[in-house]
Amino acid sequence: MKKEEVKKSFSSEFLVDTSKKEEIVPTSDYNIFEDKKLLEEIRSKVIQNIIDNNVPKNMNLNDYINLEIDKSLNGIDLPIFKRNHIFNLIDNEINGLGPITELLKDKNVTEIMVNAPDEVYVEIDGKLVKDESISFINSDHILRTIQKIVQPLGRTIDSSKPMVDARLKDGSRINAIIPPLSLKGPVLTIRKFREDLINIEDLLRNGTLTRDMAVFLEASVKSKLNILVCGGTGSGKTTILNILSGFIGDRERIITIEDAAELRLKQSHVISLETRVDNYESKSEITIRDLVRNSLRMRPDRIIVGEVRGGEAFDMLQAMNTGHDGSLTTLHANSPVDALNRLETMVLMGGIEIPIPAIRDYIENAIDIVVNITRLSDGRRKITEISEVSGFNNDDIKVTPIFKFEQIGLTSNGEVDGEFKIVNKKIETIKRIKSKGIKELEDIFGDAYE
């Protein structure tokens, strides 16, 4: 009987030692071209020649860049990948916005953060990751990129004005801060504008809220309740505000007020107002507070303020208390109770001398519903609480939770595990919604709706 032939592997046939495996560590973009001085010299020379219009008429720009790189590298032996690195660097600076050009085009990237030449972070699907494929030559390179972005917007950034906050043409938000305020060097943050509008169905699919919560919020908007959306930075407050605004009827006159226009309403009667900051051409700053005051003279049915941060809080509350029902706004806070406390503080910061009990009474009369959205530890966003503001508990404003997300723990893959619950059905808000003839909440609140 013949023995079975054993098929030999490549490693056994050629006595390859497989016990030692070298880990292949990918080279970061920053480390591809180590000689930063030479890289800067080549970049400066080629770009200056282009600025000086030295490009021959019979040669296209890419060919010219390649030719100039060849001249600059004469006598220097460089592998092809380093040469490509130089070309891409110069090409992006001429035809785009520097190294972040491709990131701005990538629809999966929602935020770009440049902390240092070799520290570029991006947010994808709510998660923050370091992008090793993008880098800058040095801090001056970051500063040049910032200046190239803000100059067409009529803004400037230098040692006398070391901060800038602006909006790109596509609606993306840009913030930059440079020395002496930033000790690490120029820091650039871009929150990209979503081209695809998120609707309530998207939030339901993502598990941001339940269908019962969505029906309740729609009924609240249609009933002209005043709604405050709160949450932390990047939690999705503006997204929720945009969706809530979509429930407003088409026949109403809506005035939106924002620092940088991000809301995109589809109704036919929308007036969008945007603040103006000081720049090198004008010293006449127009604040949120100025626009809120002016909006009251524009016969609004609804006033939507992108975010309240200071003295405009009092003017917003005043609008809500003087017949402008159904107003919407957002603010930074970690819970509905914290949101109302911040509102109180903002009114006091506005320099208006009103007793604290009177301010609280003003807030209690103005705000009907508080929606809290949270960015959880796994990067996902959820509406963790919807509460109503109804009366007082001793001297404190009474906040009654209606819907709540309760976290149980974490799953094996690190995602937050929890469930949405209806905490209270007997709420004052139901009476106002019912009085508007809205019946969609009967199945949710049962006997409480009778």
Side-chain angles (χ1 to χ4, degrees):
M1 188 175 180
K2 293 183 179 179
K3 292 183 178 179
E4 290 186 7
E5 292 183 2
V6 179
K7 187 176 180 180
K8 294 183 177 181
S9 66
F10 176 87
S11 56
S12 62
E13 183 73 25
F14 293 95
L15 301 177
V16 177
D17 184 3
T18 58
S19 61
K20 297 179 181 179
K21 293 183 179 180
E22 291 187 8
E23 185 180 354
I24 300 174
V25 180
T27 304
S28 69
D29 186 73
Y30 185 75
N31 294 322
I32 287 177
F33 204 107
E34 298 90 348
D35 192 342
K36 302 300 178 187
K37 184 179 179 181
L38 175 61
L39 186 60
E40 178 66 19
E41 287 175 358
I42 297 171
R43 185 210 68 83
S44 298
K45 181 180 178 182
V46 175
I47 289 179
Q48 190 58 51
N49 284 342
I50 293 170
I51 293 172
D52 294 340
N53 296 319
N54 290 333
V55 182
K57 293 181 180 180
N58 61 343
M59 185 179 292
N60 66 46
L61 189 58
N62 283 354
D63 290 340
Y64 176 75
I65 293 173
N66 278 314
L67 179 64
E68 287 298 311
I69 292 173
D70 286 339
K71 288 181 182 177
S72 301
L73 294 175
N74 187 26
I76 302 173
D77 186 23
L78 280 184
I80 188 67
F81 70 91
K82 288 192 177 185
R83 194 189 179 288
N84 289 340
H85 179 81
I86 300 172
F87 178 87
N88 291 333
L89 181 81
I90 297 172
D91 181 57
N92 281 332
E93 191 156 346
I94 294 170
N95 299 314
L97 294 174
I100 60 173
T101 301
E102 296 305 317
L103 292 179
L104 289 168
K105 295 177 183 178
D106 192 338
K107 293 182 179 180
N108 294 317
V109 175
T110 53
E111 199 143 1
I112 304 166
M113 289 144 278
V114 180
N115 300 344
D118 59 339
E119 289 183 27
V120 179
Y121 290 84
V122 295
E123 183 186 74
I124 300 175
D125 293 331
K127 295 182 179 179
L128 204 62
V129 293
K130 187 176 181 181
D131 192 338
E132 298 285 2
S133 66
I134 302 293
S135 70
F136 290 78
I137 302 173
N138 48 35
S139 293
D140 289 340
H141 191 194
I142 299 175
L143 181 57
R144 284 196 302 269
T145 302
I146 294 171
Q147 289 171 335
K148 185 172 184 180
I149 293 171
V150 303
Q151 281 175 355
L153 307 176
R155 309 294 294 276
T156 184
I157 186 167
D158 51 37
S159 58
S160 62
K161 289 187 177 180
M163 289 191 300
V164 66
D165 191 67
R167 178 170 57 90
L168 301 179
K169 290 181 179 180
D170 68 351
S172 298
R173 291 285 301 272
I174 171 176
N175 178 273
I177 184 166
I178 65 173
L181 300 185
S182 172
L183 302 182
K184 195 173 184 179
V187 176
L188 172 65
T189 309
I190 299 176
R191 180 173 295 178
K192 290 175 62 181
F193 189 69
R194 289 185 66 106
E195 294 181 5
D196 53 324
L197 278 171
I198 294 179
N199 55 41
I200 197 71
E201 294 297 331
D202 293 327
L203 297 187
L204 289 169
R205 282 192 293 270
N206 295 337
T208 304
L209 77 169
T210 64
R211 189 161 294 278
D212 287 350
M213 294 165 72
V215 172
F216 176 80
L217 289 175
E218 182 176 2
S220 298
V221 173
K222 290 182 176 178
S223 301
K224 301 200 76 171
L225 301 182
N226 293 323
I227 300 175
L228 174 65
V229 180
C230 65
T233 302
S235 59
K237 298 185 297 298
T238 303
T239 299
I240 297 298
L241 187 64
N242 206 79
I243 289 172
L244 293 179
S245 302
F247 296 140
I248 299 174
D250 193 57
R251 294 184 179 181
E252 297 185 64
R253 178 175 169 86
I254 306 166
I255 297 180
T256 67
I257 301 168
E258 301 174 86
D259 275 328
E262 293 180 276
L263 295 173
R264 287 177 288 174
L265 276 62
K266 295 182 178 180
Q267 291 88 338
S268 57
H269 201 163
V270 179
I271 309 297
S272 299
L273 306 179
E274 189 177 59
T275 59
R276 183 176 69 189
V277 297
D278 292 340
N279 58 33
Y280 58 84
E281 294 178 344
S282 172
K283 298 295 181 182
S284 53
E285 180 183 19
I286 304 297
T287 65
I288 288 278
R289 188 169 194 179
D290 297 326
L291 295 178
V292 171
R293 287 175 173 176
N294 188 77
S295 69
L296 300 177
R297 307 183 186 100
M298 298 173 68
R299 198 258 174 224
D301 289 315
R302 306 260 190 166
I303 298 174
I304 302 173
V305 179
E307 183 179 342
V308 288
R309 296 192 185 95
E312 68 272 6
F314 178 76
D315 300 284
M316 184 70 198
L317 293 172
Q318 195 171 33
M320 292 175 172
N321 273 316
T322 54
H324 298 93
D325 294 332
S327 296
L328 309 171
T329 189
T330 76
L331 61 74
H332 277 77
N334 296 320
S335 69
V337 173
D338 184 35
L340 299 184
N341 289 336
R342 282 211 66 205
L343 265 181
E344 182 182 316
T345 303
M346 288 176 187
V347 173
L348 292 171
M349 287 171 60
I352 301 169
E353 296 182 3
I354 301 176
I356 291 177
I359 294 173
R360 290 177 181 173
D361 189 57
Y362 220 58
I363 293 172
E364 191 276 333
N365 286 326
I367 306 296
D368 298 307
I369 298 292
V370 183
V371 179
N372 186 68
I373 183 165
T374 305
R375 181 177 173 181
L376 303 177
S377 58
D378 60 2
R380 294 184 299 172
R381 296 165 173 86
K382 288 188 184 294
I383 293 180
T384 51
E385 189 172 333
I386 299 176
S387 300
E388 75 163 0
V389 178
S390 55
F392 288 87
N393 184 7
N394 296 322
D395 292 332
D396 297 325
I397 300 173
K398 184 180 178 182
V399 179
T400 304
I402 306 170
F403 297 93
K404 230 175 182 182
F405 175 78
E406 294 184 358
Q407 182 174 340
I408 299 171
L410 296 175
T411 62
S412 57
N413 58 358
E415 292 185 354
V416 172
D417 186 19
E419 60 180 332
F420 292 99
K421 292 183 178 180
I422 299 180
V423 183
N424 288 295
K425 291 188 177 183
K426 294 183 179 181
I427 53 174
E428 295 296 321
T429 305
I430 290 296
K431 297 176 183 177
R432 292 185 58 183
I433 295 175
K434 187 178 178 181
S435 68
K436 299 292 184 180
I438 296 173
K439 299 179 179 180
E440 285 83 359
L441 301 183
E442 288 185 36
D443 294 338
I444 301 171
F445 290 89
D447 295 341
Y449 204 76
E450 294 180 357

